[in-house]
Amino acid sequence: MSTQTAPSAPPEAAPGAEPAPAPGAPTARRAARKTAARPRRSGSMASRAVVNAVLLVAVLYTLMPLTWLLIAATKNHADLFGTGGFAFGDFRFFDNLRAVFTFGDGIFGRWLLNSLLYSVVGSLASSLISVAAGYCFDKYEFRGKGALFGLVLTGTLVPTVIITLPQYLLASEVGIVNTYWSVLVPALVNPFGVYLARVFSEGYVPGEVLEAARIDGASELRVFRSISLPMLLPGFMTLFLFSFTGSWNNFFGPLVMLNDQHLYPAVLGIYNWNQFVLERPEFYSLVITGSLVAVVPLALAFVGLQRFWRSGLSAGALK
Amino acid sequence: MAAPLTRSARGAAPARRPGQGRAVLVFLGPFFLLFTAVLILPVAYALWMSFFTEQSSGLGFGGTERVFSGLGNYTKALGDHGFTSSFLHVAAYCAVYIPVMIGVALALALFVDSAAAKAKRFVQFAVFMPHAVPGLIAAIVWTYLYTPGLSPVLDWIEGAGGHWDFFAPGSVVPSLVNVAAWQWIGYNMIIFFAALQAVPREVLEAGVMDGAGELRIALRIKLPMIRSAVFLTLLFTCVGVVQIFGEPMLLSKRAGSMGSDWSPMMFIYKAAFERHDYGLASSASLIVALVAGTLSYAVTRIGKRGDSA
């Protein structure tokens, strides 16, 4: 659904940021610099080489482990240890894939579905809650607004991982430990999301439009649903992507909250498999191929929703 | 005419109207309901738990009972060698990680922003890629790349005639820093780059006119202008570093010297789920949260002072 709504979203209008690389500006800047730097031509050649060499090293460093993972996933156990890290052995990728999805009655498929449930359902709900709250902080005046927003800002400073143990203690008191809820509910609260949503609302939703709708007799909820929410869609997608990543990566929460393997998300399941590799090295292939599979949805989300994380990053960085 | 327009354009709602109170309740209600359930209540509960300790009654047949112990858990945590040294480990880790990560991310952002850089979009994409890998999986992949027999990196080092043990006591910190740096350099580089794009072009041109070279412009003009982005990154890095858990947990399985309570979070996890001492775990959690909060607050204060100066 998200990809369908994306093209209709209004053009990037993140306040103060210029997410789209304005094509005219850099070239003009470059031209200005070229003329200014002419007297030291040789020095600039050297610095040009240094700059690009450093960037090349950075790219090799970041891509090396991913390339290794990709190649390692094609090898059987013997070749994994017998051949060089970047050399191919027998091509066993599909055997490995089958092994991952059939091991333990196909529990890995279940883990992926759990991850999807935690990430998609949790992030949709959490983004909607954050957008509504941020919009409310931006567009309404009410008593105690400053104090409440201060509370939200304080909430952003509370480390999520450390709060997990208190959450566990309370959840076990209430009796929801080891259920889907114990992982889903904590993911719904995102104070930084509320802060970002307020920034987005300031940037995307002009007050005049709301006034016009009110004069036409629309109720506040109607105004939010039919006018503000569509305008806030890019912000919503940004929050959704951040929250999706957070949930997909979440490992400590499920580790603490869940005992039942059937409720595990993929990352926790892979961690569990990884516990066995020292005693049973055949688990290496399962972990490596499983990891590759678990990376794919997130990589796709990032590539597909590029513009949203960009505008989100800059909005967060510049305010 | 102009005054109310700018007022509403800024987002401040004009006079109260019927239905507005209800709307505020509907918009804010869900968030604050959950905020209370997920954040405030657990913190309060942990605070309460931290003042009690479990004592087994009699010979241990009658189960345990909760006894008020005042600040006993706090003194116990602060007196625990494992807990105090976990902070030293993380401090040593910070001392390496923060300058390396922020320094490299800044340098890369300035390099990509400079006129000399080629294939800027590809570089940004490639450097950001690791961030699309879940942190725990990144840690697993890197532990494999540290493992003799499996690792091409060790093959290269030995091929060059060198020797390195990624799991040796002295190399644990750099091994951990590498995993985190790999994950976060690209992410923060994009933040810095976005901030650099917003630096007004006239300011840079003025620098060129005054005869400043590219390096001088980068250090004297660009860097100060993206200071708020750098401080924000510093803030989130601090909050993140205090919580480090999965990476050292994985590495400690290979590097025996690390022990099972290398980081504060590992200590808390062990206290809760191995020692079943919830009072100790609660007080330790609150201490760590307090440290993280103080650190973040300090960073924002320093950042603010820098802005007003």
Side-chain angles (χ1 to χ4, degrees):
Chain A
M1 26 80 260
S2 50
T3 39
Q4 276 176 344
T5 49
S8 67
E12 303 279 16
E18 291 179 337
T27 36
R29 205 191 295 172
R30 196 177 301 166
R33 259 184 223 153
K34 245 182 197 154
T35 42
R38 190 161 296 156
R40 291 175 293 145
R41 185 83 216 177
S42 62
S44 115
M45 279 284 278
S47 73
R48 189 165 303 218
V50 169
V51 165
N52 286 298
V54 170
L55 292 181
L56 183 68
V57 170
V59 168
L60 290 177
Y61 168 67
T62 50
L63 293 187
M64 184 273 283
L66 296 172
T67 316
W68 178 83
L69 185 67
L70 214 57
I71 294 176
T74 68
K75 296 182 192 175
N76 62 20
H77 179 65
D79 284 342
L80 198 57
F81 284 87
T83 59
F86 291 95
F88 282 93
D90 286 344
F91 190 81
R92 291 273 179 258
F93 177 65
F94 293 106
D95 296 340
N96 289 340
L97 210 55
R98 195 173 311 121
V100 164
F101 279 98
T102 52
F103 184 86
D105 292 330
I107 195 154
F108 188 78
R110 168 116 195 199
W111 291 342
L112 278 181
L113 287 179
N114 289 341
S115 276
L116 220 56
L117 172 82
Y118 293 132
S119 304
V120 174
V121 175
S123 306
L124 281 178
S126 126
S127 309
L128 190 64
I129 290 168
S130 296
V131 163
Y135 167 79
C136 185
F137 274 119
D138 173 41
K139 295 290 184 250
Y140 291 94
E141 287 303 330
F142 48 90
R143 238 181 325 132
K145 176 168 151 170
L148 281 181
F149 196 65
L151 198 63
V152 172
L153 289 183
T154 315
T156 62
L157 295 185
V158 177
T160 44
V161 168
I162 290 156
I163 200 73
T164 303
L165 183 76
Q167 280 167 358
Y168 166 80
L169 296 176
L170 197 66
S172 62
E173 205 74 20
V174 181
I176 61 158
V177 157
N178 208 24
T179 63
Y180 279 116
W181 298 112
S182 62
V183 175
L184 263 177
V185 173
L188 297 181
V189 177
N190 178 5
F192 189 65
V194 174
Y195 164 80
L196 268 188
R198 186 180 184 169
V199 174
F200 287 134
S201 171
E202 281 165 9
Y204 291 148
V205 186
E208 295 89 337
V209 181
L210 304 188
E211 279 310 299
R214 281 173 187 141
I215 289 165
D216 287 347
S219 72
E220 298 298 319
L221 284 185
R222 176 82 204 267
V223 170
F224 177 67
R225 208 182 52 221
S226 312
I227 299 176
S228 309
L229 204 54
M231 286 178 162
L232 282 167
L233 199 65
F236 180 89
M237 291 306 299
T238 306
L239 292 182
F240 175 81
L241 182 64
F242 281 169
S243 164
F244 183 90
T245 318
S247 301
W248 195 270
N249 292 350
N250 189 3
F251 151 73
F252 190 71
L255 175 74
V256 166
M257 294 288 187
L258 304 176
N259 275 324
D260 184 355
Q261 283 215 8
H262 289 93
L263 303 179
Y264 281 8
V267 169
L268 183 57
I270 291 169
Y271 173 79
N272 218 34
W273 278 352
N274 187 58
Q275 303 282 71
F276 297 113
V277 292
L278 286 184
E279 296 90 51
R280 298 175 59 187
E282 66 271 21
F283 269 85
Y284 273 115
S285 289
L286 285 178
V287 174
I288 286 170
T289 312
S291 296
L292 187 65
V293 174
V295 167
V296 171
L298 210 55
L300 286 181
F302 268 111
V303 171
L305 304 176
Q306 248 198 67
R307 44 192 295 222
F308 296 112
W309 62 256
R310 264 167 184 280
S311 69
L313 285 181
S314 34
L318 293 174
K319 275 283 158 173
Chain B
M1 184 65 215
L5 249 183
T6 42
R7 233 167 77 88
S8 59
R10 278 201 150 169
R16 270 165 197 280
R17 60 193 66 248
Q20 202 199 284
R22 203 176 66 101
V24 168
L25 210 65
V26 171
F27 290 141
L28 282 189
F31 175 77
F32 277 103
L33 201 73
L34 286 161
F35 188 80
T36 309
V38 168
L39 226 87
I40 297 177
L41 283 180
V43 169
Y45 189 61
L47 197 65
W48 187 76
M49 288 280 284
S50 73
F51 294 124
F52 290 87
T53 183
E54 306 254 324
Q55 267 181 3
S56 48
S57 51
L59 295 167
F61 291 115
T64 56
E65 60 175 337
R66 214 168 261 176
V67 184
F68 183 77
S69 65
L71 293 176
N73 284 317
Y74 290 91
T75 49
K76 193 169 156 193
L78 293 172
D80 193 308
H81 179 68
F83 191 54
T84 46
S85 54
S86 73
F87 279 98
L88 295 181
H89 297 150
V90 170
Y93 170 84
C94 273
V96 184
Y97 173 61
I98 291 183
V100 166
M101 194 277 288
I102 299 219
V104 173
L106 258 180
L108 287 180
L110 287 169
F111 277 7
V112 173
D113 190 53
S114 87
K118 294 217 189 334
K120 298 182 184 205
R121 288 192 79 94
F122 171 73
V123 169
Q124 287 184 64
F125 175 76
V127 176
F128 184 81
M129 272 304 280
H131 195 73
V133 177
L136 191 90
I137 288 180
I140 289 179
V141 169
W142 274 107
T143 29
Y144 290 4
L145 289 172
Y146 294 161
T147 302
L150 204 54
S151 163
V153 180
L154 285 167
D155 292 345
W156 295 333
I157 292 175
E158 269 155 35
H163 174 76
W164 189 253
D165 177 1
F166 286 102
F167 302 123
S171 43
V172 165
V173 166
S175 296
L176 280 172
V177 165
N178 174 54
V179 179
W182 184 75
Q183 279 257 290
W184 288 96
I185 281 175
Y187 179 91
N188 289 309
M189 188 267 249
I190 301 276
I191 290 187
F192 297 153
F193 183 71
L196 282 173
Q197 298 284 292
V199 171
R201 211 155 41 85
E202 304 83 56
V203 179
L204 299 176
E205 270 163 16
V208 174
M209 290 298 182
D210 289 346
E214 184 125 27
L215 186 68
R216 227 176 129 82
I217 289 177
L219 295 181
R220 290 296 177 82
I221 301 176
K222 288 180 177 175
L223 210 52
M225 292 198 79
I226 62 165
R227 196 170 42 200
S228 69
V230 176
F231 273 110
L232 198 81
T233 295
L234 203 57
L235 179 73
F236 286 121
T237 307
C238 285
V239 175
V241 161
V242 175
Q243 313 181 50
I244 186 168
F245 175 79
E247 295 85 350
M249 187 87 165
L250 278 171
L251 211 65
S252 71
K253 296 266 153 59
R254 308 296 178 94
S257 67
M258 285 173 75
S260 56
D261 50 9
W262 188 88
S263 79
M265 277 319 295
M266 289 168 75
F267 176 88
I268 291 167
Y269 184 76
K270 193 175 153 187
F273 298 104
E274 282 174 34
R275 294 157 75 167
H276 297 288
D277 191 341
Y278 291 139
L280 180 66
S282 297
S283 60
S285 294
L286 290 169
I287 293 172
V288 175
L290 197 68
V291 169
T294 313
L295 234 107
S296 321
Y297 185 70
V299 170
T300 42
R301 284 311 292 259
I302 296 167
K304 281 225 180 75
R305 195 174 309 153
D307 279 347
S308 62

